[in-house]
Amino acid sequence: MTVSTSAGQPGPASLAEGEVVELCRDLIQIDTTNTGDSATSAGERKAAEYVAGKLAEVGLEPTVLESEPGRTSVVTRISGVDPSRGALLIHGHLDVVPADPAEWSVHPFSGEQRDGYLWGRGAIDMKDMDAMTLALVRAWAREGRQPPRDLVLAFVADEEAGGRKGARWLVDQHPELFEGCTEAISEVGGFSVTLRDDLRLYLIQTAEKGLAWMRLRASAKPGHGSMVHPDNAVTALAEAVTRLGRHRFPLVLTDTLRAFVDGLSEALGVPLDPTDPAMLDQLSGMARMIGAALRNTANPTMLSAGYKANVIPGSAEAVIDGRFLPGQEEEFTTQLDELIGPDVKREWVMQDQALETSFDGPLVDAMAAALRAEDPHAHPVPYLMSGGTDAKSFARLGIRCFGFSPLLLPPDLDFAALFHGIDERVPVDGLRFGVRVLDRLVMAS
């Protein structure tokens, strides 16, 4: 799919377009698998050193910091024309989730380019944005261009395990690095969803669900597997897990959902009802992502019990991935406890806030203008992300956070399935499109 670029200033960053694919490939080829355990994670230090070297090569001054050995982040500041203005933070994580090569069409850390895509773990989550950012600032430095306001760039560790050894550590231990930052952009937003040949939605993230990972534990008297045991820890746990996994939480109309539906209605020229399941049919491959933003969710992800076929164990455990909408944390906890019941104990494994901001202001206007300048069929709308990002950490500093890592996607690409999925890949033309959009955004904001 090709979209012609409109005339006007600022023009495409040709140097950055020429380099972004190589940078993204290099980053993908550095295995930065984050297992959640530092002993088995890999590569964040190597990736951070690569980024720091590319920044230093063009005269920028990166600061490299470690929360613990190997868990490495890079931060740098670029002075703007008007330093009195609030600074813009552009942040991206360097770590990726694990990938099993046996499941992939290509090796997940090959960075192979074929069929118009760059393939590999991290291609869209989120070494694409890391590469676009890196390519742009290198091009600006070479061309002697200066952004209108200060920029702070952060390439961080550990996002895929909650950011405690990356963004959260930086916010807690080095908040001075983000002095003056009022707004931020990062994953996941600014990507296209084709509705018609002449209409593409671009979803800009203005909200994200809160995080509520929990462990459930049932306890009972152990015994021989051949006997009758009405009080069985495995049974009690399995019943609670089934109730959670099968439950459909009620629909909640957040401000972001209302704004999204209004934007979609405007784009299609028809009224839409967010309570009508048919609304999601308009979004084809994105229906699952948007559908998860309509309600709280609790999905079982891990089970553990027993050690022998003929022994009834004294305990059984499960891990649940819970996500709650903005303003729903207390209600979600109440819902959980009612579903779990009194025979199973719940403890939080990790919790973090939900975020929501409005779809307005000069930065939002600049995002929309940059997208429309590169794609005349662009229709930007806000959306709520079902997952979480490092915005949860940076928002603690009072920074207004958006998901905006722009990509023009082929209409038939199941983009949502690529996140933490197999055969993750990013369109090469999409990377170059993203560079041009980011160039316009930053230079106009």
Side-chain angles (χ1 to χ4, degrees), residues 122-198:
I124 51 99
D125 187 15
M126 60 172 299
K127 290 178 177 179
D128 57 338
M129 181 62 167
D130 294 334
M132 288 189 283
T133 303
L134 197 54
L136 265 183
V137 298
R138 282 168 57 85
W140 294 338
R142 288 166 173 158
E143 296 168 351
R145 298 175 70 190
Q146 190 175 15
R149 54 171 164 164
D150 282 8
L151 295 181
V152 175
L153 310 181
F155 301 86
V156 302
D158 197 41
E159 190 274 346
E160 296 293 2
R164 297 307 192 268
K165 296 169 184 175
R168 183 61 53 85
W169 181 81
L170 289 172
V171 165
D172 290 344
Q173 301 299 320
H174 296 280
E176 72 282 355
L177 294 172
F178 309 100
E179 182 72 30
C181 290
T182 56
E183 296 167 309
I185 60 172
S186 186
E187 59 177 356
V188 176
F191 56 90
S192 66
V193 178
T194 299
L195 301 184
R196 301 189 306 256
D197 288 344
D198 63 346

Side-chain angles (χ1 to χ4, degrees), residues 3-43:
V3 173
S4 60
T5 303
S6 61
Q9 292 297 324
S14 57
L15 284 175
E17 284 189 76
E19 191 176 41
V20 66
V21 177
E22 177 185 345
L23 292 170
C24 191
R25 180 205 65 204
D26 289 353
L27 286 169
I28 289 171
Q29 289 176 342
I30 302 172
D31 180 353
T32 53
T33 296
N34 184 356
T35 64
D37 178 0
S38 292
T40 54
S41 294

Side-chain angles (χ1 to χ4, degrees), residues 171 181-184 353 391-401:
V171 165
C181 290
T182 56
E183 296 167 309
Q353 64 183 328
K392 295 183 186 301
S393 294
F394 292 115
R396 291 171 177 263
L397 297 176
I399 299 172
R400 189 181 182 204
C401 297

Side-chain angles (χ1 to χ4, degrees), residues 207-239:
E208 62 182 55
K209 279 184 166 181
L211 182 67
W213 290 349
M214 69 204 80
R215 180 177 289 107
L216 306 185
R217 181 179 290 109
S219 299
K221 187 176 180 179
H224 199 288
S226 67
M227 299 182 183
V228 177
H229 282 266
D231 183 21
N232 186 311
V234 175
T235 302
L237 180 75
E239 289 172 342

Side-chain angles (χ1 to χ4, degrees), residues 88 165 215 222 232 356 377 385:
L88 175 66
K165 296 169 184 175
R215 180 177 289 107
N232 186 311
E356 187 169 37
H377 301 309
M385 183 189 174

